[in-house]
Each structure stands twice: as structure tokens, then as C-alpha cells.
């Protein structure tokens, strides 16, 4: 009985490489599918978000703290977006030599998406600020997708970069600035998601 060769779609992910800054088509498609599925689920799970406006929120005893955290989160997310955009535009800043030499379409697509979700996470400031008459679901969707993508994808990258495995043969210090960016992206996504969750919980309880 002969063994079938591995599917060529997943073969690149099986090779030992320095994984920093690389994105696989299957992973990008999975992320897009999960994003669409979550928005559909949220529409049925939390109908209040899709039936009110940003300015309709009740008084909140923690609003000042939420605004402070949201502004700090948006600032860091903006810096992360600029870094990712610089890599999309060809900057070699902080990238390992093998990543610079092997930049491909998926590299540019991956960091372009990273920049987009960091910008989307800025919707948190609109949710917390309550100074807009637009439907609440618009900034909530942007902030939730942005924070979730930042946290989830960066968590995966951190695990790959910091642990010995077949995906990363360069060691914990081989990712350069990319590893540091992944860490701050993870923390920013986590803080943005928690802040948004607290803000929405106060609306539901009112």
C-alpha cells in the first residue's frame, strides 16, 4: 500500500523555515471565513447592537477609564498599522534577512491585512466615545474584527516564533522586530477586545 503525497496546498507550511512575517493562503482564507461567520452569528446573538446608535448608550461610571484605555489602544494600533504598511511598501526595517529575500505576494497581503485590522480596531474609540449618530453595529463590527484578528493571529505567530518547532528553525531571537510587533499586536488586540466587551455589557444591562 503506497502513501499518497501530501497535498501541495499545505506543503509550504511543512517545511522548516523562519516563520516570521509569512502568511499561508489557507490561513488567510480561514481567517476571512471565520470573520464572516462571526458577524452573522453576532447579528442573531446580540440584536441590541444592530438596533441602536452609538450615542444611545446609558451613563457609565467607568466611561472616563474606558475612553483613556481606548485612546491608548488606538495610538498603539496606529503605530502597528504604520509599521505593517511600511513593510507592504518595501521597507526592510527590522525584518530578518531570509524574510527580506523571500518576500512574496502572500507576505505583502498578510501585512496589508495586519495594517487593515489595526486600523479597524480604532472603531473602539467610537463605541466608547459615544459621539456619533451612526448605527452602533458599524464601529462594533470594525472594533471586534480588528481586535479579534490582532489577538488571534499574533498569538499563533508568538507561539511559532518563541517555541522550538518545525516551522521555525531560526530560534526565539530570529524574528527581529517582527516578534516585538507580534507581541504588541497581541496585547493591543486583547485590551481592545476587553474594553469593547465591558462597554457593550453596560449597554445590555441598562
Amino acid at each position: 500500500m503506497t502513501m499518497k503525497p501530501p497535498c501541495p496546498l499545505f506543503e509550504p507550511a511543512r517545511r522548516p523555515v523562519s516563520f516570521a512575517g509569512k502568511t499561508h493562503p489557507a490561513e488567510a482564507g480561514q481567517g476571512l471565513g471565520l470573520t464572516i461567520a462571526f458577524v452573522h452569528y453576532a447579528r442573531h446573538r446580540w440584536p441590541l447592537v444592530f438596533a441602536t446608535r452609538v450615542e444611545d448608550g446609558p451613563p457609565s461610571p467607568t466611561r472616563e477609564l474606558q475612553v483613556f484605555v481606548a485612546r491608548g489602544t488606538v495610538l498603539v494600533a496606529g503605530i502597528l498599522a504604520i509599521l505593517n504598511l511600511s513593510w507592504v511598501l518595501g521597507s526592510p526595517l527590522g525584518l530578518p534577512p531570509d524574510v527580506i529575500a523571500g518576500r512574496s505576494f502572500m507576505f505583502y497581503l498578510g501585512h496589508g491585512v495586519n495594517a487593515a485590522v489595526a486600523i479597524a480596531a480604532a472603531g473602539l474609540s467610537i463605541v466608547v466615545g459615544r459621539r456619533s449618530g451612526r448605527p452602533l453595529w458599524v464601529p462594533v463590527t470594525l472594533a471586534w474584527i480588528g481586535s479579534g484578528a490582532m489577538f488571534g493571529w499574533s498569538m499563533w505567530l508568538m507561539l511559532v516564533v518563541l517555541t522550538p518547532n518545525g516551522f521555525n528553525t531560526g530560534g526565539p531571537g530570529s524574528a527581529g522586530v517582527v516578534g516585538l510587533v507580534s507581541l504588541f499586536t497581541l496585547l493591543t488586540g486583547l485590551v481592545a477586545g476587553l474594553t469593547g466587551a465591558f462597554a457593550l455589557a453596560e449597554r445590555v444591562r441598562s
Side-chain angles (χ1 to χ4, degrees):
M1 182 176 180
T2 59
M3 296 289 293
K4 292 184 178 181
C7 175
L9 177 63
F10 298 100
E11 183 60 23
R14 296 164 58 92
R15 302 170 187 160
V17 293
S18 174
F19 204 77
K22 297 181 182 293
T23 303
H24 195 268
E27 294 158 353
Q30 182 185 45
L32 179 61
L34 289 174
T35 297
I36 296 173
F38 174 77
V39 174
H40 177 75
Y41 167 78
R43 190 176 184 88
H44 293 82
R45 178 64 177 81
W46 299 290
L48 176 67
V49 174
F50 295 86
T52 58
R53 296 186 176 275
V54 175
E55 60 188 4
D56 294 339
S60 169
T62 62
R63 184 170 178 272
E64 292 185 3
L65 176 61
Q66 292 177 15
V67 170
F68 175 78
V69 174
R71 288 176 178 174
T73 302
V74 170
L75 175 62
V76 177
I79 296 173
L80 296 172
I82 291 173
L83 277 172
N84 280 281
L85 284 175
S86 73
W87 291 331
V88 172
L89 296 176
S91 171
L93 177 65
L95 295 176
D98 62 326
V99 174
I100 295 175
R103 283 185 289 193
S104 63
F105 170 76
M106 292 309 302
F107 170 89
Y108 295 109
L109 176 63
H111 287 289
V113 171
N114 289 345
V117 296
I119 294 172
L124 173 67
S125 64
I126 300 176
V127 176
V128 174
R130 302 180 183 177
R131 296 180 179 178
S132 173
R134 72 186 65 190
L136 179 62
W137 71 268
V138 176
V140 166
T141 300
L142 289 174
W144 205 255
I145 291 175
S147 62
M150 292 174 74
F151 176 79
W153 179 237
S154 295
M155 174 66 80
W156 160 246
L157 286 180
M158 292 299 298
L159 290 175
V160 170
V161 170
L162 295 178
T163 59
N165 55 77
F167 295 104
N168 178 31
T169 59
S174 64
V177 174
V178 178
L180 189 60
V181 169
S182 295
L183 174 61
F184 275 92
T185 302
L186 185 154
L187 295 175
T188 303
L190 176 63
V191 173
L194 290 175
T195 305
F198 283 125
L200 292 179
E202 289 183 345
R203 288 175 179 265
V204 172
R205 291 179 180 179
S206 62

